[in-house]
Amino acid sequence: MREWASGIRLSAFSVIMLSLVVLGAWVLVPTLGTFIDQRQKIAALQESIQVSEDEIAALQRERERWQDPAYITTQARERLYYVKPGEVVYLIDNDLDPAALPREQEPVSDTLEEKPADWMPQLLRTLTSAGLSQTAVPAQ
């Protein structure tokens, strides 16, 4: 070890240059970190601006739709059930298919029935269907 250390000879110029490199690294590393952090913040703000601009465009399209008299008429008819003078409106109650209506509740039995419960295959079916299903992706 001593032989290896004695083989290294540093001149004053080498020591000064090495210390300048270390000093430069010590000064630039925090500055570089700050630069990267600010670039990330700028990117996030630009994305936020784009989302806001998209929302503004959607609201302007909605405002333009409300300038159309046909759209206003349609909305008044659908939302508020407004009609023009002389029109007759028929509101239909219970327009469901009788098969879709809920059945009347059957009387409750006094006897206790025990059904065989084989829960393990049901658990396996649930786990495999959950693992194979695709997750929903929000629309953008």
Side-chain angles (χ1 to χ4, degrees), residues 76-78 80-92:
R77 286 175 178 268
E78 289 177 0
L80 304 173
Y81 302 108
Y82 282 10
V83 294
K84 292 183 178 179
E87 286 184 343
V88 178
V89 175
Y90 297 100
L91 292 178
I92 301 172

Side-chain angles (χ1 to χ4, degrees), residues 39-51 53:
R39 293 302 298 172
Q40 289 174 344
K41 287 180 181 178
I42 288 171
L45 289 172
Q46 286 174 341
E47 185 177 336
S48 173
I49 289 170
Q50 183 62 40
V51 168
E53 288 175 350

Side-chain angles (χ1 to χ4, degrees), residues 36-96:
I36 292 171
D37 185 45
Q38 288 177 349
R39 293 302 298 172
Q40 289 174 344
K41 287 180 181 178
I42 288 171
L45 289 172
Q46 286 174 341
E47 185 177 336
S48 173
I49 289 170
Q50 183 62 40
V51 168
S52 297
E53 288 175 350
D54 292 344
E55 289 176 358
I56 289 170
L59 289 171
Q60 286 175 343
R61 285 192 302 273
E62 181 76 18
R63 186 182 65 189
E64 289 171 3
R65 269 193 279 173
W66 281 101
Q67 300 299 325
D68 183 17
Y71 183 76
I72 294 173
T73 303
T74 304
Q75 292 301 312
R77 286 175 178 268
E78 289 177 0
R79 292 184 185 184
L80 304 173
Y81 302 108
Y82 282 10
V83 294
K84 292 183 178 179
E87 286 184 343
V88 178
V89 175
Y90 297 100
L91 292 178
I92 301 172
D93 253 353
N94 294 331
D95 61 340
L96 298 175

Side-chain angles (χ1 to χ4, degrees), residues 1 12 16 18-19 24 26 29 36-39 67 76 88 96 100 110 113 117 134 140:
M1 179 79 167
I16 291 172
L18 183 61
S19 63
W26 183 69
V29 168
I36 292 171
D37 185 45
Q38 288 177 349
R39 293 302 298 172
Q67 300 299 325
V88 178
L96 298 175
D110 291 337
E113 295 180 19
Q134 295 181 356
Q140 295 182 0

